[in-house]
Amino acid sequence: PRFREFEQDIRPFSQVRPALVQLAAQGQRLAIAESTPLSPETVSATLDRLRLSQWFPHIFSARDLPRKANREERFRAIARDLETSPGEVAYVGRDPAELQAAARAGLLTIAFNQDADATADIYLDQFDRLPQLFKPSTPTRLQEAA
């Protein structure tokens, strides 16, 4: 019951939606890699409820990645599924173990709202600064859905 209550009360930080709009306008591809026991459908439904799903065409669930793979191997599998090299992927997270695994897999690591012992390549104090870390690739004209 507490988990369901938490799920219903979840809200994005106020800076998230504008940052996602800017990242998408810069041509950045966005994905979610989640390590909870939730299905991609459940994560997608939550994103829909939060009006964030349009920016995340890819949702990678721990359930869908190789079962016996360690965290590092899972990050490499995500890069393969995105048809890119790990060095072209940035991982934004808060958990020290996940950030370390992403770094070992060759991803750029960005810590946000992180645990005190987290290490990363970049520490983000405000989410709206995330788009400034990346150069535009193929700019597109996107408008936020009402």
Side-chain angles (χ1 to χ4, degrees):
R2 285 186 180 172
F3 183 75
R4 274 183 273 164
E5 182 179 318
F6 172 77
E7 271 291 297
Q8 293 304 312
D9 290 339
I10 195 168
R11 302 281 182 271
F13 289 105
S14 62
Q15 305 152 345
V16 168
R17 192 170 281 108
L20 295 176
V21 169
Q22 189 173 354
L23 286 164
Q26 290 176 348
Q28 302 299 328
R29 293 174 38 198
L30 304 174
I32 289 185
E34 58 94 14
S35 59
T36 67
L38 301 175
S39 70
E41 295 78 22
T42 302
V43 174
S44 182
T46 300
L47 291 171
D48 284 342
R49 186 174 55 77
L50 298 173
R51 295 183 12 228
L52 299 174
S53 60
Q54 72 187 51
W55 295 292
F56 297 101
H58 306 283
I59 299 173
F60 297 97
S61 167
R63 295 171 155 192
D64 299 331
L65 296 169
R67 294 197 93 167
K68 294 183 180 181
N70 63 34
R71 290 176 175 157
E72 182 179 339
E73 293 166 337
R74 288 181 178 166
F75 280 111
R76 286 193 184 113
I78 289 168
R80 272 193 310 276
D81 287 352
L82 291 171
E83 299 178 349
T84 190
S85 70
E88 295 177 344
V89 178
Y91 173 73
V92 180
R94 54 159 286 286
D95 180 75
E98 295 290 332
L99 287 160
Q100 288 174 1
R104 285 191 309 271
L107 282 66
L108 172 72
T109 56
I110 303 170
F112 176 70
N113 198 30
Q114 70 273 7
D115 292 351
D117 58 341
T119 57
D121 297 311
I122 298 170
Y123 297 88
L124 198 60
D125 59 345
Q126 289 186 250
F127 199 83
D128 61 349
R129 294 190 176 148
L130 182 61
Q132 299 166 12
L133 300 177
F134 304 99
K135 295 179 182 177
S137 53
T138 307
T140 57
R141 291 183 175 209
L142 295 179
Q143 293 185 353
E144 181 180 348

Short mmCIF file of all heavy atoms in Angstrom, two decimals, residues 122-144:
data_model
loop_
_atom_site.label_atom_id
_atom_site.label_comp_id
_atom_site.label_asym_id
_atom_site.label_seq_id
_atom_site.Cartn_x
_atom_site.Cartn_y
_atom_site.Cartn_z
N ILE A 122 30.03 14.24 -13.79
CA ILE A 122 29.44 15.57 -13.64
C ILE A 122 28.41 15.52 -12.52
O ILE A 122 27.65 14.56 -12.42
CB ILE A 122 28.75 16.01 -14.96
CG1 ILE A 122 29.78 16.09 -16.09
CG2 ILE A 122 28.03 17.34 -14.79
CD1 ILE A 122 29.18 16.28 -17.46
N TYR A 123 28.38 16.57 -11.71
CA TYR A 123 27.38 16.69 -10.65
C TYR A 123 26.45 17.84 -11.02
O TYR A 123 26.90 18.96 -11.22
CB TYR A 123 28.05 16.96 -9.30
CG TYR A 123 28.92 15.80 -8.87
CD1 TYR A 123 30.25 15.74 -9.28
CD2 TYR A 123 28.42 14.77 -8.10
CE1 TYR A 123 31.06 14.67 -8.93
CE2 TYR A 123 29.22 13.69 -7.74
CZ TYR A 123 30.53 13.66 -8.16
OH TYR A 123 31.34 12.59 -7.81
N LEU A 124 25.20 17.53 -11.13
CA LEU A 124 24.20 18.49 -11.57
C LEU A 124 23.42 18.99 -10.36
O LEU A 124 22.76 18.20 -9.69
CB LEU A 124 23.28 17.80 -12.57
CG LEU A 124 22.43 18.62 -13.50
CD1 LEU A 124 23.29 19.50 -14.39
CD2 LEU A 124 21.59 17.68 -14.37
N ASP A 125 23.51 20.29 -10.08
CA ASP A 125 22.79 20.80 -8.92
C ASP A 125 21.38 21.25 -9.28
O ASP A 125 20.50 21.30 -8.41
CB ASP A 125 23.56 21.92 -8.23
CG ASP A 125 23.84 23.10 -9.14
OD1 ASP A 125 23.70 22.97 -10.36
OD2 ASP A 125 24.20 24.17 -8.62
N GLN A 126 21.15 21.58 -10.53
CA GLN A 126 19.82 21.95 -11.00
C GLN A 126 19.55 21.23 -12.31
O GLN A 126 20.37 21.28 -13.23
CB GLN A 126 19.71 23.46 -11.20
CG GLN A 126 19.71 24.23 -9.90
CD GLN A 126 19.45 25.69 -10.16
OE1 GLN A 126 20.34 26.50 -10.01
NE2 GLN A 126 18.23 26.01 -10.56
N PHE A 127 18.39 20.58 -12.41
CA PHE A 127 18.09 19.77 -13.57
C PHE A 127 18.02 20.59 -14.86
O PHE A 127 18.35 20.11 -15.92
CB PHE A 127 16.78 19.01 -13.36
CG PHE A 127 16.63 17.84 -14.28
CD1 PHE A 127 17.23 16.63 -13.98
CD2 PHE A 127 15.91 17.95 -15.46
CE1 PHE A 127 17.11 15.54 -14.82
CE2 PHE A 127 15.79 16.86 -16.31
CZ PHE A 127 16.39 15.66 -15.99
N ASP A 128 17.62 21.85 -14.75
CA ASP A 128 17.50 22.67 -15.96
C ASP A 128 18.86 23.00 -16.59
O ASP A 128 18.93 23.52 -17.70
CB ASP A 128 16.71 23.95 -15.69
CG ASP A 128 17.33 24.86 -14.66
OD1 ASP A 128 18.29 24.46 -13.96
OD2 ASP A 128 16.82 25.99 -14.53
N ARG A 129 19.94 22.64 -15.93
CA ARG A 129 21.28 22.83 -16.50
C ARG A 129 21.71 21.65 -17.37
O ARG A 129 22.72 21.72 -18.05
CB ARG A 129 22.29 23.07 -15.41
CG ARG A 129 22.01 24.40 -14.69
CD ARG A 129 23.12 24.78 -13.78
NE ARG A 129 22.82 26.08 -13.21
CZ ARG A 129 23.18 26.46 -12.02
NH1 ARG A 129 23.87 25.65 -11.26
NH2 ARG A 129 22.86 27.65 -11.57
N LEU A 130 20.93 20.57 -17.36
CA LEU A 130 21.28 19.38 -18.13
C LEU A 130 21.43 19.68 -19.62
O LEU A 130 22.42 19.26 -20.23
CB LEU A 130 20.25 18.27 -17.89
CG LEU A 130 20.51 16.94 -18.58
CD1 LEU A 130 21.83 16.33 -18.12
CD2 LEU A 130 19.35 15.99 -18.31
N PRO A 131 20.51 20.39 -20.27
CA PRO A 131 20.67 20.63 -21.71
C PRO A 131 21.94 21.38 -22.08
O PRO A 131 22.48 21.21 -23.18
CB PRO A 131 19.43 21.47 -22.08
CG PRO A 131 18.43 21.14 -21.03
CD PRO A 131 19.23 20.90 -19.78
N GLN A 132 22.47 22.17 -21.17
CA GLN A 132 23.69 22.93 -21.44
C GLN A 132 24.92 22.03 -21.55
O GLN A 132 25.95 22.46 -22.08
CB GLN A 132 23.91 23.97 -20.34
CG GLN A 132 22.79 24.98 -20.24
CD GLN A 132 22.86 25.78 -18.95
OE1 GLN A 132 23.85 25.74 -18.23
NE2 GLN A 132 21.78 26.50 -18.65
N LEU A 133 24.81 20.79 -21.10
CA LEU A 133 25.94 19.87 -21.14
C LEU A 133 26.14 19.26 -22.52
O LEU A 133 27.18 18.67 -22.78
CB LEU A 133 25.74 18.74 -20.12
CG LEU A 133 25.62 19.16 -18.67
CD1 LEU A 133 25.34 17.93 -17.81
CD2 LEU A 133 26.88 19.87 -18.20
N PHE A 134 25.14 19.38 -23.38
CA PHE A 134 25.18 18.70 -24.67
C PHE A 134 25.09 19.69 -25.82
O PHE A 134 24.34 20.66 -25.76
CB PHE A 134 24.03 17.69 -24.78
CG PHE A 134 24.03 16.70 -23.68
CD1 PHE A 134 23.20 16.85 -22.58
CD2 PHE A 134 24.90 15.61 -23.71
CE1 PHE A 134 23.22 15.93 -21.55
CE2 PHE A 134 24.93 14.69 -22.68
CZ PHE A 134 24.08 14.86 -21.59
N LYS A 135 25.82 19.39 -26.88
CA LYS A 135 25.72 20.19 -28.10
C LYS A 135 24.51 19.72 -28.88
O LYS A 135 24.23 18.52 -28.92
CB LYS A 135 26.97 20.01 -28.95
CG LYS A 135 28.22 20.54 -28.31
CD LYS A 135 29.41 20.30 -29.21
CE LYS A 135 30.67 20.79 -28.52
NZ LYS A 135 31.86 20.50 -29.32
N PRO A 136 23.81 20.63 -29.53
CA PRO A 136 22.68 20.20 -30.36
C PRO A 136 23.16 19.27 -31.46
O PRO A 136 24.22 19.47 -32.05
CB PRO A 136 22.14 21.50 -30.94
CG PRO A 136 22.62 22.56 -30.03
CD PRO A 136 23.94 22.08 -29.49
N SER A 137 22.38 18.23 -31.72
CA SER A 137 22.71 17.35 -32.85
C SER A 137 21.84 17.77 -34.03
O SER A 137 22.24 18.59 -34.81
CB SER A 137 22.53 15.88 -32.48
OG SER A 137 21.24 15.64 -31.95
N THR A 138 20.68 17.24 -34.14
CA THR A 138 19.78 17.65 -35.22
C THR A 138 18.61 18.40 -34.60
O THR A 138 17.67 17.77 -34.09
CB THR A 138 19.24 16.42 -35.98
OG1 THR A 138 20.35 15.63 -36.39
CG2 THR A 138 18.43 16.83 -37.18
N PRO A 139 18.68 19.72 -34.57
CA PRO A 139 17.61 20.47 -33.92
C PRO A 139 16.27 20.18 -34.59
O PRO A 139 16.18 20.07 -35.80
CB PRO A 139 18.02 21.93 -34.12
CG PRO A 139 19.45 21.90 -34.45
CD PRO A 139 19.71 20.58 -35.12
N THR A 140 15.27 20.07 -33.77
CA THR A 140 13.91 19.88 -34.26
C THR A 140 13.00 20.89 -33.59
O THR A 140 13.34 21.46 -32.57
CB THR A 140 13.40 18.47 -33.95
OG1 THR A 140 13.48 18.26 -32.54
CG2 THR A 140 14.21 17.41 -34.65
N ARG A 141 11.86 21.09 -34.19
CA ARG A 141 10.89 21.99 -33.58
C ARG A 141 9.86 21.15 -32.85
O ARG A 141 9.04 20.50 -33.49
CB ARG A 141 10.21 22.84 -34.64
CG ARG A 141 11.14 23.84 -35.25
CD ARG A 141 10.41 24.69 -36.22
NE ARG A 141 11.33 25.71 -36.70
CZ ARG A 141 10.95 26.88 -37.10
NH1 ARG A 141 9.69 27.20 -37.13
NH2 ARG A 141 11.83 27.75 -37.50
N LEU A 142 9.94 21.17 -31.58
CA LEU A 142 8.98 20.44 -30.74
C LEU A 142 8.31 21.41 -29.81
O LEU A 142 8.93 22.33 -29.31
CB LEU A 142 9.70 19.37 -29.91
CG LEU A 142 10.36 18.23 -30.66
CD1 LEU A 142 11.04 17.31 -29.66
CD2 LEU A 142 9.33 17.45 -31.44
N GLN A 143 7.04 21.18 -29.60
CA GLN A 143 6.33 21.99 -28.62
C GLN A 143 5.77 21.04 -27.58
O GLN A 143 5.37 19.93 -27.88
CB GLN A 143 5.20 22.76 -29.29
CG GLN A 143 5.72 23.81 -30.25
CD GLN A 143 4.60 24.65 -30.80
OE1 GLN A 143 3.45 24.37 -30.58
NE2 GLN A 143 4.95 25.68 -31.53
N GLU A 144 5.76 21.53 -26.38
CA GLU A 144 5.24 20.74 -25.29
C GLU A 144 3.75 20.51 -25.49
O GLU A 144 3.02 21.41 -25.87
CB GLU A 144 5.48 21.48 -23.97
CG GLU A 144 5.01 20.74 -22.78
CD GLU A 144 5.27 21.52 -21.52
OE1 GLU A 144 6.01 22.50 -21.54
OE2 GLU A 144 4.71 21.11 -20.51
#
